[in-house]
PDB file of all heavy atoms in Angstrom:
ATOM      1  N   ARG A 264      78.754 -10.312  16.627  1.00 98.00           N
ATOM      2  CA  ARG A 264      79.504 -10.129  15.329  1.00 98.00           C
ATOM      3  C   ARG A 264      80.739 -10.927  15.240  1.00 98.00           C
ATOM      4  O   ARG A 264      81.408 -11.159  16.279  1.00 98.00           O
ATOM      5  CB  ARG A 264      79.842  -8.606  15.249  1.00 98.00           C
ATOM      6  CG  ARG A 264      78.732  -7.761  14.822  1.00 98.00           C
ATOM      7  CD  ARG A 264      78.960  -6.332  14.892  1.00 98.00           C
ATOM      8  NE  ARG A 264      77.659  -5.737  14.766  1.00 98.00           N
ATOM      9  CZ  ARG A 264      77.077  -5.544  13.583  1.00 98.00           C
ATOM     10  NH1 ARG A 264      77.719  -5.719  12.479  1.00 98.00           N
ATOM     11  NH2 ARG A 264      75.823  -5.130  13.568  1.00 98.00           N
ATOM     12  N   ILE A 265      81.085 -11.326  14.028  1.00 97.00           N
ATOM     13  CA  ILE A 265      82.321 -12.089  13.834  1.00 97.00           C
ATOM     14  C   ILE A 265      83.553 -11.408  14.385  1.00 97.00           C
ATOM     15  O   ILE A 265      84.489 -12.091  14.926  1.00 97.00           O
ATOM     16  CB  ILE A 265      82.511 -12.338  12.265  1.00 97.00           C
ATOM     17  CG1 ILE A 265      81.316 -13.109  11.722  1.00 97.00           C
ATOM     18  CG2 ILE A 265      83.776 -13.168  12.019  1.00 97.00           C
ATOM     19  CD1 ILE A 265      81.164 -13.083  10.208  1.00 97.00           C
ATOM     20  N   SER A 266      83.632 -10.121  14.309  1.00 98.00           N
ATOM     21  CA  SER A 266      84.800  -9.351  14.744  1.00 98.00           C
ATOM     22  C   SER A 266      84.701  -9.091  16.242  1.00 98.00           C
ATOM     23  O   SER A 266      85.653  -8.501  16.828  1.00 98.00           O
ATOM     24  CB  SER A 266      84.898  -8.010  14.077  1.00 98.00           C
ATOM     25  OG  SER A 266      83.708  -7.255  14.236  1.00 98.00           O
ATOM     26  N   GLY A 267      83.626  -9.475  16.926  1.00 98.00           N
ATOM     27  CA  GLY A 267      83.393  -9.081  18.291  1.00 98.00           C
ATOM     28  C   GLY A 267      84.460  -9.523  19.274  1.00 98.00           C
ATOM     29  O   GLY A 267      84.906  -8.736  20.161  1.00 98.00           O
ATOM     30  N   ALA A 268      84.909 -10.731  19.191  1.00 98.00           N
ATOM     31  CA  ALA A 268      85.870 -11.290  20.162  1.00 98.00           C
ATOM     32  C   ALA A 268      87.247 -10.554  19.958  1.00 98.00           C
ATOM     33  O   ALA A 268      87.879 -10.205  20.949  1.00 98.00           O
ATOM     34  CB  ALA A 268      86.074 -12.783  19.955  1.00 98.00           C
ATOM     35  N   MET A 269      87.611 -10.283  18.744  1.00 98.00           N
ATOM     36  CA  MET A 269      88.897  -9.496  18.451  1.00 98.00           C
ATOM     37  C   MET A 269      88.823  -8.110  19.034  1.00 98.00           C
ATOM     38  O   MET A 269      89.695  -7.705  19.688  1.00 98.00           O
ATOM     39  CB  MET A 269      89.152  -9.556  16.991  1.00 98.00           C
ATOM     40  CG  MET A 269      90.461  -8.852  16.540  1.00 98.00           C
ATOM     41  SD  MET A 269      90.249  -7.102  16.144  1.00 98.00           S
ATOM     42  CE  MET A 269      89.331  -7.162  14.603  1.00 98.00           C
ATOM     43  N   VAL A 270      87.750  -7.404  18.704  1.00 98.00           N
ATOM     44  CA  VAL A 270      87.567  -5.998  19.190  1.00 98.00           C
ATOM     45  C   VAL A 270      87.527  -5.973  20.720  1.00 98.00           C
ATOM     46  O   VAL A 270      88.103  -5.153  21.404  1.00 98.00           O
ATOM     47  CB  VAL A 270      86.338  -5.373  18.560  1.00 98.00           C
ATOM     48  CG1 VAL A 270      86.145  -3.978  19.141  1.00 98.00           C
ATOM     49  CG2 VAL A 270      86.510  -5.262  17.038  1.00 98.00           C
ATOM     50  N   ASN A 271      86.801  -6.959  21.264  1.00 98.00           N
ATOM     51  CA  ASN A 271      86.659  -7.090  22.708  1.00 98.00           C
ATOM     52  C   ASN A 271      88.083  -7.201  23.400  1.00 98.00           C
ATOM     53  O   ASN A 271      88.382  -6.574  24.445  1.00 98.00           O
ATOM     54  CB  ASN A 271      85.780  -8.308  23.117  1.00 98.00           C
ATOM     55  CG  ASN A 271      85.531  -8.371  24.588  1.00 98.00           C
ATOM     56  OD1 ASN A 271      84.744  -7.636  25.176  1.00 98.00           O
ATOM     57  ND2 ASN A 271      86.238  -9.293  25.286  1.00 98.00           N
ATOM     58  N   SER A 272      88.928  -8.080  22.849  1.00 98.00           N
ATOM     59  CA  SER A 272      90.285  -8.244  23.354  1.00 98.00           C
ATOM     60  C   SER A 272      91.053  -6.969  23.366  1.00 98.00           C
ATOM     61  O   SER A 272      91.749  -6.585  24.344  1.00 98.00           O
ATOM     62  CB  SER A 272      91.023  -9.285  22.591  1.00 98.00           C
ATOM     63  OG  SER A 272      90.428 -10.527  22.639  1.00 98.00           O
ATOM     64  N   LEU A 273      90.963  -6.166  22.285  1.00 98.00           N
ATOM     65  CA  LEU A 273      91.660  -4.907  22.176  1.00 98.00           C
ATOM     66  C   LEU A 273      91.135  -3.876  23.235  1.00 98.00           C
ATOM     67  O   LEU A 273      91.919  -3.225  23.910  1.00 98.00           O
ATOM     68  CB  LEU A 273      91.503  -4.364  20.767  1.00 98.00           C
ATOM     69  CG  LEU A 273      92.155  -5.096  19.638  1.00 98.00           C
ATOM     70  CD1 LEU A 273      91.603  -4.617  18.313  1.00 98.00           C
ATOM     71  CD2 LEU A 273      93.713  -4.859  19.677  1.00 98.00           C
ATOM     72  N   VAL A 274      89.828  -3.826  23.325  1.00 98.00           N
ATOM     73  CA  VAL A 274      89.190  -2.843  24.287  1.00 98.00           C
ATOM     74  C   VAL A 274      89.507  -3.141  25.699  1.00 98.00           C
ATOM     75  O   VAL A 274      89.974  -2.275  26.505  1.00 98.00           O
ATOM     76  CB  VAL A 274      87.693  -2.840  24.057  1.00 98.00           C
ATOM     77  CG1 VAL A 274      86.949  -2.074  25.151  1.00 98.00           C
ATOM     78  CG2 VAL A 274      87.352  -2.174  22.650  1.00 98.00           C
ATOM     79  N   THR A 275      89.338  -4.439  26.111  1.00 98.00           N
ATOM     80  CA  THR A 275      89.576  -4.725  27.524  1.00 98.00           C
ATOM     81  C   THR A 275      91.056  -4.619  27.895  1.00 98.00           C
ATOM     82  O   THR A 275      91.413  -4.116  28.996  1.00 98.00           O
ATOM     83  CB  THR A 275      89.086  -6.133  27.818  1.00 98.00           C
ATOM     84  OG1 THR A 275      89.664  -7.132  26.928  1.00 98.00           O
ATOM     85  CG2 THR A 275      87.580  -6.241  27.700  1.00 98.00           C
ATOM     86  N   ALA A 276      91.937  -5.025  27.025  1.00 98.00           N
ATOM     87  CA  ALA A 276      93.382  -4.886  27.301  1.00 98.00           C
ATOM     88  C   ALA A 276      93.822  -3.433  27.381  1.00 98.00           C
ATOM     89  O   ALA A 276      94.618  -3.125  28.252  1.00 98.00           O
ATOM     90  CB  ALA A 276      94.214  -5.663  26.256  1.00 98.00           C
ATOM     91  N   THR A 277      93.279  -2.650  26.488  1.00 98.00           N
ATOM     92  CA  THR A 277      93.624  -1.175  26.465  1.00 98.00           C
ATOM     93  C   THR A 277      93.132  -0.524  27.829  1.00 98.00           C
ATOM     94  O   THR A 277      93.853   0.296  28.439  1.00 98.00           O
ATOM     95  CB  THR A 277      92.983  -0.451  25.306  1.00 98.00           C
ATOM     96  OG1 THR A 277      93.464  -1.078  24.163  1.00 98.00           O
ATOM     97  CG2 THR A 277      93.320   1.029  25.260  1.00 98.00           C
ATOM     98  N   LEU A 278      91.941  -0.855  28.231  1.00 98.00           N
ATOM     99  CA  LEU A 278      91.416  -0.302  29.538  1.00 98.00           C
ATOM    100  C   LEU A 278      92.321  -0.787  30.660  1.00 98.00           C
ATOM    101  O   LEU A 278      92.668   0.050  31.562  1.00 98.00           O
ATOM    102  CB  LEU A 278      90.035  -0.718  29.733  1.00 98.00           C
ATOM    103  CG  LEU A 278      88.932  -0.246  28.814  1.00 98.00           C
ATOM    104  CD1 LEU A 278      87.590  -0.818  29.049  1.00 98.00           C
ATOM    105  CD2 LEU A 278      88.835   1.384  28.918  1.00 98.00           C
ATOM    106  N   GLN A 279      92.721  -1.980  30.672  1.00 98.00           N
ATOM    107  CA  GLN A 279      93.619  -2.455  31.724  1.00 98.00           C
ATOM    108  C   GLN A 279      94.977  -1.733  31.660  1.00 98.00           C
ATOM    109  O   GLN A 279      95.550  -1.382  32.700  1.00 98.00           O
ATOM    110  CB  GLN A 279      93.919  -4.014  31.556  1.00 98.00           C
ATOM    111  CG  GLN A 279      92.796  -4.850  31.982  1.00 98.00           C
ATOM    112  CD  GLN A 279      93.132  -6.316  31.739  1.00 98.00           C
ATOM    113  OE1 GLN A 279      93.001  -6.889  30.723  1.00 98.00           O
ATOM    114  NE2 GLN A 279      93.739  -6.972  32.749  1.00 98.00           N
ATOM    115  N   GLY A 280      95.408  -1.440  30.478  1.00 98.00           N
ATOM    116  CA  GLY A 280      96.644  -0.665  30.253  1.00 98.00           C
ATOM    117  C   GLY A 280      96.561   0.763  30.858  1.00 98.00           C
ATOM    118  O   GLY A 280      97.567   1.280  31.196  1.00 98.00           O
ATOM    119  N   LEU A 281      95.432   1.257  30.955  1.00 98.00           N
ATOM    120  CA  LEU A 281      95.136   2.573  31.526  1.00 98.00           C
ATOM    121  C   LEU A 281      95.051   2.477  33.078  1.00 98.00           C
ATOM    122  O   LEU A 281      94.922   3.500  33.775  1.00 98.00           O
ATOM    123  CB  LEU A 281      93.892   3.251  31.027  1.00 98.00           C
ATOM    124  CG  LEU A 281      94.028   3.758  29.522  1.00 98.00           C
ATOM    125  CD1 LEU A 281      92.581   4.038  28.992  1.00 98.00           C
ATOM    126  CD2 LEU A 281      94.835   5.018  29.467  1.00 98.00           C
ATOM    127  N   GLY A 282      95.015   1.249  33.609  1.00 98.00           N
ATOM    128  CA  GLY A 282      94.827   1.073  35.021  1.00 98.00           C
ATOM    129  C   GLY A 282      93.359   0.958  35.407  1.00 98.00           C
ATOM    130  O   GLY A 282      92.960   1.094  36.627  1.00 98.00           O
ATOM    131  N   ILE A 283      92.443   0.722  34.452  1.00 98.00           N
ATOM    132  CA  ILE A 283      91.020   0.623  34.703  1.00 98.00           C
ATOM    133  C   ILE A 283      90.586  -0.842  34.856  1.00 98.00           C
ATOM    134  O   ILE A 283      91.015  -1.704  34.061  1.00 98.00           O
ATOM    135  CB  ILE A 283      90.161   1.306  33.524  1.00 98.00           C
ATOM    136  CG1 ILE A 283      90.487   2.777  33.499  1.00 98.00           C
ATOM    137  CG2 ILE A 283      88.673   0.997  33.655  1.00 98.00           C
ATOM    138  CD1 ILE A 283      89.963   3.484  32.293  1.00 98.00           C
ATOM    139  N   HIS A 284      89.824  -1.119  35.867  1.00 98.00           N
ATOM    140  CA  HIS A 284      89.322  -2.441  36.064  1.00 98.00           C
ATOM    141  C   HIS A 284      88.149  -2.737  35.096  1.00 98.00           C
ATOM    142  O   HIS A 284      87.340  -1.880  34.868  1.00 98.00           O
ATOM    143  CB  HIS A 284      88.772  -2.652  37.509  1.00 98.00           C
ATOM    144  CG  HIS A 284      89.804  -2.380  38.545  1.00 98.00           C
ATOM    145  ND1 HIS A 284      91.167  -2.732  38.404  1.00 98.00           N
ATOM    146  CD2 HIS A 284      89.717  -1.736  39.742  1.00 98.00           C
ATOM    147  CE1 HIS A 284      91.824  -2.331  39.470  1.00 98.00           C
ATOM    148  NE2 HIS A 284      90.970  -1.716  40.314  1.00 98.00           N
ATOM    149  N   VAL A 285      88.171  -3.962  34.547  1.00 98.00           N
ATOM    150  CA  VAL A 285      87.180  -4.301  33.527  1.00 98.00           C
ATOM    151  C   VAL A 285      86.309  -5.492  33.987  1.00 98.00           C
ATOM    152  O   VAL A 285      86.776  -6.486  34.558  1.00 98.00           O
ATOM    153  CB  VAL A 285      87.910  -4.744  32.219  1.00 98.00           C
ATOM    154  CG1 VAL A 285      86.861  -5.214  31.158  1.00 98.00           C
ATOM    155  CG2 VAL A 285      88.747  -3.612  31.697  1.00 98.00           C
ATOM    156  N   VAL A 286      84.997  -5.271  33.846  1.00 98.00           N
ATOM    157  CA  VAL A 286      84.001  -6.374  33.996  1.00 98.00           C
ATOM    158  C   VAL A 286      83.477  -6.712  32.660  1.00 98.00           C
ATOM    159  O   VAL A 286      82.778  -5.930  32.010  1.00 98.00           O
ATOM    160  CB  VAL A 286      82.858  -5.985  34.917  1.00 98.00           C
ATOM    161  CG1 VAL A 286      81.906  -7.190  35.032  1.00 98.00           C
ATOM    162  CG2 VAL A 286      83.383  -5.486  36.222  1.00 98.00           C
ATOM    163  N   ASP A 287      83.837  -7.903  32.118  1.00 98.00           N
ATOM    164  CA  ASP A 287      83.565  -8.315  30.770  1.00 98.00           C
ATOM    165  C   ASP A 287      82.319  -9.252  30.844  1.00 98.00           C
ATOM    166  O   ASP A 287      82.365 -10.333  31.373  1.00 98.00           O
ATOM    167  CB  ASP A 287      84.755  -9.074  30.149  1.00 98.00           C
ATOM    168  CG  ASP A 287      84.578  -9.357  28.692  1.00 98.00           C
ATOM    169  OD1 ASP A 287      83.465  -9.184  28.165  1.00 98.00           O
ATOM    170  OD2 ASP A 287      85.538  -9.848  28.088  1.00 98.00           O
ATOM    171  N   LEU A 288      81.161  -8.745  30.232  1.00 98.00           N
ATOM    172  CA  LEU A 288      79.978  -9.564  30.181  1.00 98.00           C
ATOM    173  C   LEU A 288      79.984 -10.551  29.045  1.00 98.00           C
ATOM    174  O   LEU A 288      79.107 -11.419  28.975  1.00 98.00           O
ATOM    175  CB  LEU A 288      78.759  -8.646  30.068  1.00 98.00           C
ATOM    176  CG  LEU A 288      78.523  -7.594  31.180  1.00 98.00           C
ATOM    177  CD1 LEU A 288      77.256  -6.812  30.847  1.00 98.00           C
ATOM    178  CD2 LEU A 288      78.460  -8.231  32.530  1.00 98.00           C
ATOM    179  N   GLY A 289      80.988 -10.452  28.154  1.00 98.00           N
ATOM    180  CA  GLY A 289      81.018 -11.304  27.021  1.00 98.00           C
ATOM    181  C   GLY A 289      79.819 -11.038  26.055  1.00 98.00           C
ATOM    182  O   GLY A 289      79.478  -9.853  25.831  1.00 98.00           O
ATOM    183  N   LEU A 290      79.222 -12.087  25.500  1.00 98.00           N
ATOM    184  CA  LEU A 290      78.050 -11.903  24.655  1.00 98.00           C
ATOM    185  C   LEU A 290      76.874 -11.299  25.463  1.00 98.00           C
ATOM    186  O   LEU A 290      76.496 -11.890  26.508  1.00 98.00           O
ATOM    187  CB  LEU A 290      77.644 -13.264  24.104  1.00 98.00           C
ATOM    188  CG  LEU A 290      78.538 -13.838  23.015  1.00 98.00           C
ATOM    189  CD1 LEU A 290      78.068 -15.317  22.719  1.00 98.00           C
ATOM    190  CD2 LEU A 290      78.593 -13.020  21.736  1.00 98.00           C
ATOM    191  N   SER A 291      76.410 -10.134  25.019  1.00 98.00           N
ATOM    192  CA  SER A 291      75.443  -9.401  25.756  1.00 98.00           C
ATOM    193  C   SER A 291      74.548  -8.671  24.826  1.00 98.00           C
ATOM    194  O   SER A 291      74.577  -8.882  23.628  1.00 98.00           O
ATOM    195  CB  SER A 291      76.146  -8.447  26.747  1.00 98.00           C
ATOM    196  OG  SER A 291      75.192  -7.958  27.723  1.00 98.00           O
ATOM    197  N   THR A 292      73.711  -7.800  25.347  1.00 98.00           N
ATOM    198  CA  THR A 292      72.872  -6.914  24.571  1.00 98.00           C
ATOM    199  C   THR A 292      73.121  -5.487  24.985  1.00 98.00           C
ATOM    200  O   THR A 292      73.537  -5.214  26.087  1.00 98.00           O
ATOM    201  CB  THR A 292      71.339  -7.206  24.668  1.00 98.00           C
ATOM    202  OG1 THR A 292      70.932  -6.747  25.980  1.00 98.00           O
ATOM    203  CG2 THR A 292      71.081  -8.710  24.517  1.00 98.00           C
ATOM    204  N   THR A 293      72.737  -4.563  24.149  1.00 98.00           N
ATOM    205  CA  THR A 293      72.964  -3.141  24.494  1.00 98.00           C
ATOM    206  C   THR A 293      72.142  -2.836  25.798  1.00 98.00           C
ATOM    207  O   THR A 293      72.717  -2.230  26.738  1.00 98.00           O
ATOM    208  CB  THR A 293      72.489  -2.254  23.325  1.00 98.00           C
ATOM    209  OG1 THR A 293      73.507  -2.219  22.286  1.00 98.00           O
ATOM    210  CG2 THR A 293      72.281  -0.772  23.767  1.00 98.00           C
ATOM    211  N   PRO A 294      70.880  -3.193  25.842  1.00 98.00           N
ATOM    212  CA  PRO A 294      70.158  -2.820  27.101  1.00 98.00           C
ATOM    213  C   PRO A 294      70.734  -3.561  28.354  1.00 98.00           C
ATOM    214  O   PRO A 294      70.708  -3.019  29.450  1.00 98.00           O
ATOM    215  CB  PRO A 294      68.706  -3.256  26.880  1.00 98.00           C
ATOM    216  CG  PRO A 294      68.813  -4.150  25.696  1.00 98.00           C
ATOM    217  CD  PRO A 294      69.914  -3.714  24.836  1.00 98.00           C
ATOM    218  N   THR A 295      71.254  -4.804  28.156  1.00 98.00           N
ATOM    219  CA  THR A 295      71.828  -5.519  29.317  1.00 98.00           C
ATOM    220  C   THR A 295      73.024  -4.828  29.893  1.00 98.00           C
ATOM    221  O   THR A 295      73.153  -4.644  31.068  1.00 98.00           O
ATOM    222  CB  THR A 295      72.164  -7.009  28.923  1.00 98.00           C
ATOM    223  OG1 THR A 295      70.949  -7.633  28.376  1.00 98.00           O
ATOM    224  CG2 THR A 295      72.664  -7.760  30.075  1.00 98.00           C
ATOM    225  N   VAL A 296      73.876  -4.337  28.970  1.00 98.00           N
ATOM    226  CA  VAL A 296      75.059  -3.539  29.445  1.00 98.00           C
ATOM    227  C   VAL A 296      74.628  -2.346  30.168  1.00 98.00           C
ATOM    228  O   VAL A 296      75.173  -1.949  31.227  1.00 98.00           O
ATOM    229  CB  VAL A 296      76.015  -3.278  28.252  1.00 98.00           C
ATOM    230  CG1 VAL A 296      77.249  -2.435  28.780  1.00 98.00           C
ATOM    231  CG2 VAL A 296      76.529  -4.529  27.598  1.00 98.00           C
ATOM    232  N   GLU A 297      73.566  -1.666  29.608  1.00 98.00           N
ATOM    233  CA  GLU A 297      73.139  -0.462  30.223  1.00 98.00           C
ATOM    234  C   GLU A 297      72.544  -0.669  31.603  1.00 98.00           C
ATOM    235  O   GLU A 297      72.700   0.159  32.501  1.00 98.00           O
ATOM    236  CB  GLU A 297      71.976   0.153  29.324  1.00 98.00           C
ATOM    237  CG  GLU A 297      72.564   0.707  28.007  1.00 98.00           C
ATOM    238  CD  GLU A 297      71.450   1.180  27.046  1.00 98.00           C
ATOM    239  OE1 GLU A 297      70.274   0.810  27.251  1.00 98.00           O
ATOM    240  OE2 GLU A 297      71.841   1.787  26.060  1.00 98.00           O
ATOM    241  N   VAL A 298      71.930  -1.839  31.842  1.00 98.00           N
ATOM    242  CA  VAL A 298      71.377  -2.137  33.125  1.00 98.00           C
ATOM    243  C   VAL A 298      72.492  -2.572  34.071  1.00 98.00           C
ATOM    244  O   VAL A 298      72.420  -2.217  35.302  1.00 98.00           O
ATOM    245  CB  VAL A 298      70.369  -3.376  32.996  1.00 98.00           C
ATOM    246  CG1 VAL A 298      70.071  -3.983  34.347  1.00 98.00           C
ATOM    247  CG2 VAL A 298      69.086  -2.905  32.377  1.00 98.00           C
ATOM    248  N   MET A 299      73.568  -3.205  33.550  1.00 98.00           N
ATOM    249  CA  MET A 299      74.602  -3.738  34.445  1.00 98.00           C
ATOM    250  C   MET A 299      75.547  -2.653  34.917  1.00 98.00           C
ATOM    251  O   MET A 299      76.200  -2.851  36.019  1.00 98.00           O
ATOM    252  CB  MET A 299      75.353  -4.811  33.700  1.00 98.00           C
ATOM    253  CG  MET A 299      74.549  -6.131  33.585  1.00 98.00           C
ATOM    254  SD  MET A 299      74.046  -6.845  35.122  1.00 98.00           S
ATOM    255  CE  MET A 299      75.627  -7.641  35.637  1.00 98.00           C
ATOM    256  N   VAL A 300      75.714  -1.548  34.174  1.00 98.00           N
ATOM    257  CA  VAL A 300      76.662  -0.479  34.671  1.00 98.00           C
ATOM    258  C   VAL A 300      76.244   0.005  36.033  1.00 98.00           C
ATOM    259  O   VAL A 300      77.065   0.006  36.978  1.00 98.00           O
ATOM    260  CB  VAL A 300      76.772   0.593  33.621  1.00 98.00           C
ATOM    261  CG1 VAL A 300      77.496   1.876  34.259  1.00 98.00           C
ATOM    262  CG2 VAL A 300      77.486   0.158  32.366  1.00 98.00           C
ATOM    263  N   PRO A 301      75.006   0.533  36.225  1.00 98.00           N
ATOM    264  CA  PRO A 301      74.673   0.977  37.659  1.00 98.00           C
ATOM    265  C   PRO A 301      74.513  -0.189  38.559  1.00 98.00           C
ATOM    266  O   PRO A 301      74.831  -0.050  39.793  1.00 98.00           O
ATOM    267  CB  PRO A 301      73.312   1.681  37.479  1.00 98.00           C
ATOM    268  CG  PRO A 301      72.802   1.214  36.113  1.00 98.00           C
ATOM    269  CD  PRO A 301      73.940   0.825  35.307  1.00 98.00           C
ATOM    270  N   GLU A 302      74.064  -1.349  38.077  1.00 98.00           N
ATOM    271  CA  GLU A 302      73.970  -2.592  38.969  1.00 98.00           C
ATOM    272  C   GLU A 302      75.325  -2.867  39.671  1.00 98.00           C
ATOM    273  O   GLU A 302      75.276  -3.258  40.823  1.00 98.00           O
ATOM    274  CB  GLU A 302      73.527  -3.724  38.142  1.00 98.00           C
ATOM    275  CG  GLU A 302      73.485  -5.042  38.833  1.00 98.00           C
ATOM    276  CD  GLU A 302      72.348  -5.167  39.849  1.00 98.00           C
ATOM    277  OE1 GLU A 302      71.410  -4.350  39.771  1.00 98.00           O
ATOM    278  OE2 GLU A 302      72.369  -6.126  40.619  1.00 98.00           O
ATOM    279  N   LEU A 303      76.391  -2.698  38.905  1.00 98.00           N
ATOM    280  CA  LEU A 303      77.706  -3.033  39.411  1.00 98.00           C
ATOM    281  C   LEU A 303      78.467  -1.822  40.000  1.00 98.00           C
ATOM    282  O   LEU A 303      79.693  -1.859  40.290  1.00 98.00           O
ATOM    283  CB  LEU A 303      78.568  -3.737  38.344  1.00 98.00           C
ATOM    284  CG  LEU A 303      77.952  -5.032  37.782  1.00 98.00           C
ATOM    285  CD1 LEU A 303      78.823  -5.550  36.615  1.00 98.00           C
ATOM    286  CD2 LEU A 303      77.871  -6.067  38.875  1.00 98.00           C
ATOM    287  N   ASN A 304      77.750  -0.671  40.099  1.00 98.00           N
ATOM    288  CA  ASN A 304      78.330   0.605  40.527  1.00 98.00           C
ATOM    289  C   ASN A 304      79.591   0.935  39.723  1.00 98.00           C
ATOM    290  O   ASN A 304      80.622   1.450  40.272  1.00 98.00           O
ATOM    291  CB  ASN A 304      78.736   0.541  42.014  1.00 98.00           C
ATOM    292  CG  ASN A 304      77.532   0.449  42.967  1.00 98.00           C
ATOM    293  OD1 ASN A 304      76.546   1.179  42.655  1.00 98.00           O
ATOM    294  ND2 ASN A 304      77.502  -0.420  43.892  1.00 98.00           N
ATOM    295  N   ALA A 305      79.594   0.666  38.393  1.00 98.00           N
ATOM    296  CA  ALA A 305      80.667   0.953  37.530  1.00 98.00           C
ATOM    297  C   ALA A 305      80.715   2.407  37.199  1.00 98.00           C
ATOM    298  O   ALA A 305      79.742   3.183  37.365  1.00 98.00           O
ATOM    299  CB  ALA A 305      80.628   0.075  36.340  1.00 98.00           C
ATOM    300  N   ASP A 306      81.811   2.833  36.578  1.00 98.00           N
ATOM    301  CA  ASP A 306      81.983   4.262  36.256  1.00 98.00           C
ATOM    302  C   ASP A 306      81.577   4.513  34.780  1.00 98.00           C
ATOM    303  O   ASP A 306      81.601   5.688  34.295  1.00 98.00           O
ATOM    304  CB  ASP A 306      83.460   4.674  36.462  1.00 98.00           C
ATOM    305  CG  ASP A 306      83.835   4.518  37.916  1.00 98.00           C
ATOM    306  OD1 ASP A 306      83.331   5.321  38.751  1.00 98.00           O
ATOM    307  OD2 ASP A 306      84.566   3.562  38.246  1.00 98.00           O
ATOM    308  N   GLY A 307      81.245   3.511  34.055  1.00 98.00           N
ATOM    309  CA  GLY A 307      80.800   3.652  32.685  1.00 98.00           C
ATOM    310  C   GLY A 307      80.828   2.292  31.976  1.00 98.00           C
ATOM    311  O   GLY A 307      81.002   1.225  32.592  1.00 98.00           O
TER     312      GLY A 307
END
């Protein structure tokens, strides 16, 4: 989406502001993100 990069910047910076580590896949798909969360032992 046209707004994706802007929203992504807000989300990732906010998570960092909470002290949460971020793995940014960039352009992706819903199922790819779902697969990558357990693949990377992430918390969500």
Side-chain angles (χ1 to χ4, degrees):
R264 284 169 191 276
I265 299 164
S266 61
M269 182 267 290
V270 174
N271 183 77
S272 297
L273 292 165
V274 167
T275 55
T277 301
L278 293 172
Q279 286 180 271
L281 287 165
I283 294 171
H284 303 321
V285 177
V286 179
D287 187 352
L288 301 180
L290 289 173
S291 191
T292 74
T293 286
T295 304
V296 179
E297 291 172 348
V298 165
M299 290 298 285
V300 168
E302 173 73 14
L303 300 175
N304 293 316
D306 300 288

